[in-house]
Amino acid sequence: MTAFDPFDPFEQRISVSLDEIAPARRPHYLDDLLRQTARTSQRPRWSFPGRWLPMDTTLTRGPAGRASLRPLVLVAIVALLALAAAAIFIAGSRPRLPLPVGPAVNGSIVYPSGGDLYIRDGLAAGAVAKPLVTGSAKQYAPYLSPDGRSLVYAQVGDGGDYLWAADIDGSNQRQLLPDPIGEGWSQWSWALDSRHLLVSGVFPGGAKRLYDVQADGSSARELVFDGLVPWEAFWSPTDPNTFLLRAQTMNGVRAQGVYLVGADGGNLRPLGLPGQSSFGAQYTLSGAVWSPDGRTIAYNAITTDPKTFVTHYRIHVVNADGSSDRELPGPTEANVNEAWPTFSPDGTQILVQHFVFPSGQDTKDGSGWIAVLPADGSAPAREIGVRIDETNNPDVWKDWSPDGTSVIQTDGETLNAYPVDPHTGTSAELPWADDMPAWQRRARRP
């Protein structure tokens, strides 16, 4: 027996149930209806759609004068099957996108080499690599969108470095801002929807500005704050209508502040953190970042040890509403600084930079390296990776892999890049990258 057999008991059961629910009977208003229609002239034949459109408006009459439900049932079944097939086809043809925050699958790696951008399948020595963005101009500093489908990067041009974007396959290259961004303190932060990003930096004339830039290159809107100069801004990982802003006050005493701001640049809410330090405005309250769940913010605090009177960087964590500001356990050595926090994708660990300032007594007594700090403050940081001894700049750049099982460390002076195991601390130099790589996020399997 098939689904369309005329003796299908399922259809019979439906018909019997409908008879029980609504038995056929003569409507009590039928005589009044007939008297009213007798006074109304019939519509002309051409006004009926069935006379001039190729459609069948008739139904086979069943027992007791009822229209048979069989054709309707068949049509409904066919329509549902067609919709289901279409849904399966669409779902299968569309790539699954990762969540914008939290752990994700490690995708391709985009990296600078020889002034161009390349993309490769992964860290393995035999991974397939191919050019992504090339040309006579130098490209560097790739930064991939949360959905893994596009990237922004810096391109050297006349008068400075310009912000560009491209699709993940290198196509659709477009310039995002007409003016160059000055070196130092430029920051880019993708929105959760991967359609726009916050761009802060020093623009021509020395002015610090903040823009909300559309990733398709269609527009860029400057965000202006009365009495404040924006330094950096970062979209919330949980609220698309909020971002974190570090800004310097210009009215009266100049000081830094960290604020929660609405997407349109309004509704500023200060966190109430101390805005002055002996290191100056450039470093006070620097390095502020969200935790993946959006509940806390880690930042660079500048404190003085009451025993040794040594001033150094330490990591502080504060609730997103400005409450419960606390210092996480720092290094035991007073001369070691701990700063520039980066949360792991799952939010349980913080990747930090350890460094010692050059004393000036030795040409190579400044050094920098990385460490992993429990985000709950339960223990001091574990040092991992490569120790970098530099003449002038013990700077280290670092980031987590999307799945949180690896770390990329880059020497800020030589630009050598190293993958680091955050558990064992072991590392190896990447021979194919000559600057900081970026890791694509991919969706987890269902």
Side-chain angles (χ1 to χ4, degrees), residues 66-309:
R66 299 191 308 274
S68 173
L69 291 175
R70 179 178 179 76
L72 294 179
V73 172
L74 295 179
V75 170
I77 292 175
V78 172
L80 289 174
L81 290 174
L83 289 174
I88 293 173
F89 174 78
I90 293 174
S93 60
R94 287 181 180 176
R96 295 182 64 249
L97 299 180
L99 296 175
V101 293
V105 174
N106 295 342
S108 299
I109 296 177
V110 178
Y111 62 96
S113 180
D116 296 322
L117 296 181
Y118 291 79
I119 188 169
R120 61 185 288 125
D121 291 342
L123 290 176
V128 176
K130 60 182 179 179
L132 184 66
V133 180
T134 62
S136 57
K138 177 184 178 181
Q139 293 91 20
Y140 68 99
Y143 179 34
L144 276 66
S145 61
D147 64 9
R149 297 195 295 179
S150 57
L151 69 149
V152 293
Y153 57 93
Q155 178 168 297
V156 179
D158 295 336
D161 299 346
Y162 294 81
L163 188 65
W164 282 67
D167 295 348
I168 191 61
D169 60 0
S171 64
N172 193 23
Q173 298 174 21
R174 63 268 188 193
Q175 185 173 329
L176 298 185
L177 287 172
D179 296 324
I181 303 176
E183 293 184 3
W185 298 103
S186 59
Q187 296 284 347
W188 314 329
S189 173
W190 281 102
L192 290 174
D193 61 7
S194 296
R195 295 181 179 179
H196 58 124
L197 60 158
L198 293 170
V199 179
S200 57
V202 180
F203 290 84
K208 295 181 178 66
R209 298 175 187 168
L210 175 65
Y211 290 90
D212 187 1
V213 180
Q214 295 299 313
D216 62 3
S218 60
S219 64
R221 177 173 59 98
E222 184 177 3
L223 301 176
V224 179
F225 311 93
D226 186 27
L228 294 177
V229 177
W231 282 68
E232 302 105 20
F234 304 93
W235 284 111
S236 165
T238 57
D239 183 359
N241 297 311
T242 301
F243 64 85
L244 185 69
L245 171 70
R246 183 172 76 109
Q248 184 178 7
T249 60
M250 298 302 295
N251 299 329
V253 178
R254 296 189 178 186
Q256 291 284 9
V258 177
Y259 306 82
L260 298 182
V261 188
D264 60 356
N267 190 26
L268 270 73
R269 290 148 285 166
L271 297 189
L273 303 177
Q276 291 181 303
S277 74
S278 58
F279 284 3
Q282 185 175 11
Y283 298 102
T284 302
L285 301 181
S286 59
V289 292
W290 295 92
S291 62
D293 61 8
R295 296 180 179 179
T296 58
I297 296 164
Y299 69 95
N300 297 337
I302 299 170
T303 61
T304 301
D305 190 313
K307 298 180 180 179
T308 63
F309 300 102

Side-chain angles (χ1 to χ4, degrees), residues 376-390:
D376 60 4
S378 58
R382 293 182 296 105
E383 296 179 352
I384 61 174
V386 180
R387 188 180 182 102
I388 300 169
D389 294 319
E390 304 293 358

